[in-house]
Structure formats: structure tokens, C-alpha cells
Amino acid sequence: MRAVLITEPGQYGLETLPDPTPDVGDVIVAPDGCGICGTDLHIIAGEVPFTRYPIVPGHEFSGEIVAAGRGVDHVRVGDVVAVEPSLFCGHCPPCRTGRENLCLNFDSIGVGQQNGACAELVRVPGHKAFALPDAMRRGLGTLVEPVSCVVHGFDMLETRLGDNILIYGAGSIGLILAQIAVHHGAGSVSVVDTNAERLPRALKAGADQVATNADELDRPQGWEAVIDATGAVAAIEDAISRASHGGTVLLFGVAPDNVQARFSPFQVYNKELRIIGSMAIRHSFERALLLMARGVIDGDLLLTHRFKLDAYDEALETFRRGGGLKLTVVP
Ligand SMILES: [Zn+2]
Ligand SMILES: [Zn+2]
């Protein structure tokens, strides 16, 4: 099979690899497409501590099952599935207390030790493959992974009906957050992005107000929920200052692991703020599928570019330039 192979940080290209075969419990998926996200850039830069090279990248994918090993009975050859890429050990303390996404031995298809979906074929554990609901367009399958991360984010956020929600970042995650916030019964949804060119998309995603700076939004009482989808320290510091009394700040974007942010501990005390994080997916993959089958996510708004496997480099360059929202590699 043809596959993108990252042999070591900074080194990657199209290679011919042996076709994977299914072990007991595995299925082989022929990906329809595979989304690109910031994690892929971190893998290529050698910045993901648990990546084992060489690795085929690609963790946001769906496709058709073309082979199944013994012991797989909930999906079968011919099914079109989306695949939850996170892999958990099942025996560490977080796993044993139901917080598998925080597994001390966390691994992820296309990120850690298992080859991913920027390839004509990918082997995955059968129990990580979820058949797409009939009502869901096959072409949206690559979005299930990021949508399920957002669903977990909302689990962590515990918003109430009518809460006013402020989102930093109008990239693909910011727009998924905005669409789910609207569906979730937000009183209002506001989106801030320093790049004004991105703001019209946020309006299309259902935002009531958009701005390049939260000062323009004129809400001195603050927001009940503030979500950072940028990972940028300046945005995070601003986000914490915008929460209302009793408000919650969700850090969803991935900040570099060596940076520090400043906030006022007095404000956290005096306003009883909650500052929380959200990491990957937890029991949220099937719910993401149901939301997508109901049309909660506008795939046409998000899926802006498609690249062939041999144009992986061009796809990464386009992503680095900030061109488009969700870029898809089509094996
Ligand atoms: Zn991703
Ligand atoms: Zn574990």
C-alpha cells in the first residue's frame, strides 16, 4: 500500500509499505479521507513525547472496512466507520476510574505507536470502529474525531441552558464549538479571533456576535462560559479575565508545554471562577456521530480543501499558512 511515512522528525514522504493484516479483534479500514490538524505538525516537529518513529500519521478518519479479524462482531466488512483513535491501557489509575482519556499509557492511532490513516489501508482495533448512522453523509466522517473532542469539552464545561458563551479562535475547532454551543441551548454565542478574515465563518457557524477583540463585544458582566480554542497565552489570559461571577473558563486549545499564563488569583477567588481543561475524547465518540447525523455540524463550512496522498507536503504547507479550515488528505 502507499502511505505517508514520517521516518524521524522533519523527514517524511510517500512510501510503499506492506498491506496490514488484521490480528484477532482488528479491522482493516480503507480510509475515505483523513483530516489534518495541529497535532500532525507537532509529530513532524518531534514535539509529541509518545510518538514512536517511523509512523504513518493520520488520526481523524473514516472509511470502509475491507477485512476483519476473528472476534469482531459489531461491525463487518463493507461497513463505513469512523474510528476513535485514542488507545487506553485499561489498568492505570485514571483508566480504572473511568477517565481513560487521561490514561498514563495513552497512545493514539497515527500519533503514538500505531500507524495512522494517511495511507491506503490502516489497521485498527475493531472496538474503536463505529458505523456511521444512515442519516449521516459519508463525506463528513473525518469530522467525527474533532467533534467528539468538542462533545467531551462540553461535558467538562457543564453549561446551563441560556448561558452566554464566548469562544476564542475561529478555526475549525472554534467553529465546531460555536455550532455545538448553539445546539446546546446557549443564550448567546460570541467568537473572537484576531484575524478579521475568519470572522464571517463564525457568523455562518451560528455566532451572534464576532470581534477581533472581546472589548468590542460590550459585555461588562462577562460570560458564564469562556472557551479558548487557540492555545495562545494572550488569548488564554484574556479569556480568564472575561468570565462572569461564577463563570467557567475551559482551556481547549493546546498551548506549548513550556509556557506560563498570568491571571489574578484574587479574581478566581472573588468571582468563584472555575478554570478547567479538556483533553481529547471520553465516551463522546458515539454522541458526536448522533449530533452529526442530526445535521448539527455544517460539514461544507468546515471541509475546505482536499489533497491526494502524494500532495501531503502541499496539504501541510496550506495548513501552516492558515489557508482553509479542515484540510483532508484522500488516500
Ligand atoms: Zn487532530
Ligand atoms: Zn490507562
Side-chain angles (χ1 to χ4, degrees), residues 116-132:
C118 285
E120 288 170 322
L121 298 168
V122 56
R123 175 174 52 206
V124 306
H127 68 279
K128 294 289 180 179
F130 295 79
L132 300 195

Side-chain angles (χ1 to χ4, degrees), residues 183-197:
H183 183 73
H184 206 54
S188 70
V189 177
S190 303
V191 175
V192 170
D193 196 302
T194 52
N195 181 351
E197 284 177 20

Side-chain angles (χ1 to χ4, degrees), residues 62 136-144 292 297-300 303:
S62 60
M136 185 177 148
R137 245 171 61 208
R138 181 168 175 169
L140 302 185
T142 54
L143 291 172
V144 181
M292 295 191 69
I297 301 299
D298 180 353
D300 296 328
L303 296 166

Side-chain angles (χ1 to χ4, degrees), residues 89-92 95 103-104:
C89 77
H91 56 73
C92 71
C95 278
C103 174
L104 301 181

Side-chain angles (χ1 to χ4, degrees), residues 4 6 18 21 28-29 40 111 115 150 180 200 206 219 257 300 302 311 327:
V4 173
I6 306 172
T21 52
I28 305 295
V29 174
D40 298 303
V111 181
N115 281 337
V150 168
I180 291 191
R219 192 175 167 80
D257 71 354
D300 296 328
L302 293 163
L327 284 57

